[in-house]
Amino acid sequence: MTDQTHRTAKLSVGEKTLDLPMYSGTLGPDVIDIRRLYADGDVFTFDPGYTSTGSCESAITFIDGDKGELLYRGYPIEQLAEKSFFIEVCYLLLYGELPTAAQLEDFENRVTNHTMLHDQMSYFFRGFRRDAHPMAIVCGVVGAMSAFYHDSTDIRDAWQREVASIRLIAKMPTIVAWAYKYSIGQPFVYPKNSLDYASNFLNMCFSVPAAEYTVDPILSRAMDRIFTLHADHEQNASTSTVRLASSSGANPFACIAAGVACLWGPAHGGANQACLEMLREIGTVDRIPEFIARAKDKNDPFKLMGFGHRVYKNFDPRAKVMKQSADEVLGLLGIENNPTLQVAKELEKIALEDEYFIEKKLYPNVDFYSGIILDAIGFPTSMFTPIFALARTVGWITQWKEMISDPQLKIGRPRQLYTGPTARDYVDVEKRG
Ligand code: CMC
């Protein structure tokens, strides 16, 4: 906290007036420290969905929802998406600064040294049904890493924490690619360390032993940019899940598996799959009004997938880059007349002119255009969320490391407003009526 000017906020609770300390970060609104509220005021705060609650101090990622700004360690996402690449972004997130050439080379070497999975893990994959959703497999396999890598589960040991971090970043592409290969009945493809991070992932997904396969650099660049855009997003649901799980001292693989599970939901990472499926269901531009009407109907649970965000109330800067990238990739591939892209563009246009969406400040989010690019690369919709998980792993790990090294670390334990029955006596079954 940068501000030590001893400002306070006054809160009256009954007869008492409490002076609550206030702090300023380097960016963003000030915070009121309520840690002594229960002890001094005998009350809890009530904030379901944590819309006004800061759960931690963090120096990793900053979002200004009104400006539509996203910074990783201070660097705007637009600049990183254009000039940097995912493995460099991983270094930036993990260690706080852009690497020198030597640091980058060393980091890439360390990551590529860990890309293979313990060979016995292939049997673990084979235990799943072929029609399992790849997210179910990824969630299970990441959790199972704690059964295979015992030498990096002691969270009190900085060296083990570092090895676990590198292992997760290095092995996620292999795990996600193998979940895909397993689901389509093709042999697992081993990682190729001569390839860059994104190309290696594409190679493991799309090459087969029977044929030559060369990764298209256009697709590899698009894949890498998708990874960069998803790498971290401060205290979202899955990151907060990772932090809460790790506050109990659980091992890193268990914590990241918890993050994967949370990401799966359609309100979070599952939205990319849901969005492309929605765009396909709409199918043609003339059906858009019908879907807009449904999204506005209070009695219909339907929402426009890929629209809206808890924090961004202006625009999602990742969506802007993603839209531009979708145009570029489809153009370079010569499929710019892709009907789904046409529906997406028209839907965006109509929604952004509609009073309902304007009033509620609903804009396209990162998931609105990412599915179109992933589809053009050749992925089925079921792979979209696992790819998000792959990219977000570095963010989860960075947040986990920051939390573990915080001397103020306490187990996360929210309180509640209890509305159930008051204490009552047990009634024997024959007397219940
Ligand atoms: N379509 C139609 N109406 C919407 C939408 C939408 N996509 N999103 C929000 N609204 C309405 C909502 O019904 C509510 O209306 P009212 O005030 O009349 O009750 C109002 O806008 C505020 O929405 P909210 O649900 O209270 O906002 P939230 O901050 O709790 O939820 C959200 C944010 C992202 C979960 C939500 O906008 C949503 O479900 N969007 C669709 C799913 C999606 O695209 N998720 C990806 C998020 S970005 C990637 C990620 O984080 O993983």
Side-chain angles (χ1 to χ4, degrees):
M1 285 163 260
T2 57
D3 189 343
Q4 300 302 336
T5 51
H6 307 295
R7 285 172 309 140
T8 57
K10 291 202 184 309
L11 177 71
S12 298
V13 184
E15 300 292 294
K16 282 190 202 162
T17 299
L18 306 177
D19 277 319
L20 303 169
M22 289 184 69
Y23 311 121
S24 300
T26 45
L27 291 168
D30 292 345
V31 298
I32 300 172
D33 182 344
I34 56 160
R35 278 176 289 185
R36 290 210 45 86
L37 186 62
Y38 178 45
D40 297 345
D42 203 26
V43 287
F44 298 143
T45 55
F46 183 62
D47 185 18
Y50 310 117
T51 51
S52 302
T53 298
S55 61
C56 61
E57 193 179 329
S58 182
I60 304 167
T61 295
F62 176 76
I63 302 174
D64 185 326
D66 293 324
K67 280 208 256 166
E69 181 178 64
L70 168 61
L71 311 175
Y72 293 167
R73 300 286 190 184
Y75 294 101
I77 191 65
E78 296 85 349
Q79 289 183 24
L80 293 171
E82 190 197 330
K83 298 182 179 166
S84 187
F85 49 96
F86 183 65
I87 208 74
E88 182 174 77
V89 167
C90 288
Y91 185 100
L92 171 68
L93 285 169
L94 275 175
Y95 306 113
E97 296 296 336
L98 287 168
T100 62
Q103 286 167 333
L104 183 63
E105 192 186 339
D106 171 65
F107 181 66
E108 276 193 292
N109 284 340
R110 281 191 287 140
V111 171
T112 45
N113 264 336
H114 284 283
T115 49
M116 278 172 60
L117 301 183
H118 189 292
D119 208 44
Q120 247 173 287
M121 287 186 93
S122 62
Y123 300 108
F124 195 77
F125 280 84
R126 291 190 173 97
F128 285 95
R129 280 172 55 142
R130 287 268 180 211
D131 59 357
H133 193 289
M135 266 311 258
I137 302 182
V138 173
C139 195
V141 174
V142 172
M145 282 176 77
S146 46
F148 288 90
Y149 302 104
H150 300 148
D151 58 345
S152 51
T153 51
D154 182 355
I155 62 160
R156 288 157 307 176
D157 179 335
W159 184 83
Q160 293 202 28
R161 294 203 296 267
E162 180 67 14
V163 175
S165 308
I166 300 288
R167 277 191 169 136
L168 276 156
I169 294 166
K171 292 184 199 304
M172 260 321 239
T174 318
I175 293 172
V176 172
W178 283 20
Y180 174 53
K181 283 298 196 192
Y182 184 73
S183 73
I184 56 171
Q186 287 186 2
F188 299 137
V189 175
Y190 285 95
K192 217 178 197 178
N193 288 349
S194 56
L195 296 175
D196 63 73
Y197 194 87
S199 303
N200 175 46
F201 174 62
L202 293 176
N203 187 61
M204 286 189 289
C205 288
F206 297 119
S207 71
V208 288
E212 284 301 318
Y213 175 79
T214 315
V215 180
D216 183 333
I218 298 170
L219 301 188
S220 166
R221 178 72 190 120
M223 190 76 259
D224 192 86
R225 193 173 278 174
I226 286 182
F227 292 160
T228 295
L229 292 174
H230 286 88
D232 193 42
H233 214 228
E234 53 119 303
Q235 310 312 320
N236 55 82
S238 57
T239 302
S240 300
T241 302
V242 170
R243 280 187 178 256
L244 196 55
S246 60
S247 76
S248 73
N251 76 68
F253 306 113
C255 297
I256 302 304
V260 175
C262 177
L263 186 77
W264 197 355
H268 194 5
N272 52 14
Q273 170 170 357
C275 180
L276 196 81
E277 286 167 359
M278 175 194 77
L279 294 173
R280 283 188 181 146
E281 193 190 343
I282 298 174
T284 47
V285 168
D286 58 301
R287 292 194 64 206
I288 291 174
E290 179 195 325
F291 283 80
I292 297 265
R294 282 188 62 196
K296 289 158 61 175
D297 182 355
K298 279 260 162 250
N299 300 317
D300 189 331
F302 174 80
K303 280 189 172 174
L304 271 195
M305 299 316 286
F307 256 81
H309 198 274
R310 168 62 61 78
V311 183
Y312 294 120
K313 299 300 172 197
N314 182 326
F315 63 88
D316 179 341
R318 303 168 300 171
K320 270 197 170 174
V321 180
M322 205 65 94
K323 181 180 185 181
Q324 202 188 347
S325 197
D327 273 334
E328 268 168 37
V329 173
L330 270 56
L332 287 166
L333 295 176
I335 48 172
E336 57 270 60
N337 292 329
N338 175 311
T340 320
L341 181 64
Q342 303 312 322
V343 170
K345 282 189 173 173
E346 197 54 29
L347 178 62
E348 177 185 357
K349 198 164 142 249
I350 295 175
L352 292 184
E353 285 165 0
D354 190 292
E355 204 41 53
Y356 174 94
F357 290 86
I358 295 170
E359 192 213 314
K360 295 190 188 303
K361 300 186 173 169
L362 299 171
Y363 294 86
N365 59 48
V366 69
D367 294 320
F368 195 67
Y369 284 104
S370 63
I372 292 170
I373 306 177
L374 292 172
D375 178 54
I377 293 177
F379 287 108
T381 54
S382 61
M383 279 294 287
F384 294 2
T385 317
I387 289 170
F388 190 158
L390 184 175
R392 182 56 57 84
T393 295
V394 65
W396 290 329
I397 284 285
T398 307
Q399 303 267 351
W400 167 79
K401 279 181 90 181
E402 181 179 70
M403 182 175 177
I404 297 290
S405 347
D406 184 346
Q408 297 187 47
L409 172 63
K410 260 173 140 34
I411 185 163
R413 177 51 169 98
R415 305 306 290 252
Q416 63 172 4
L417 172 66
Y418 176 70
T419 54
T422 52
R424 49 185 170 164
D425 289 325
Y426 180 80
V427 180
D428 291 330
V429 68
E430 62 276 8
K431 292 191 186 145
R432 291 174 212 160

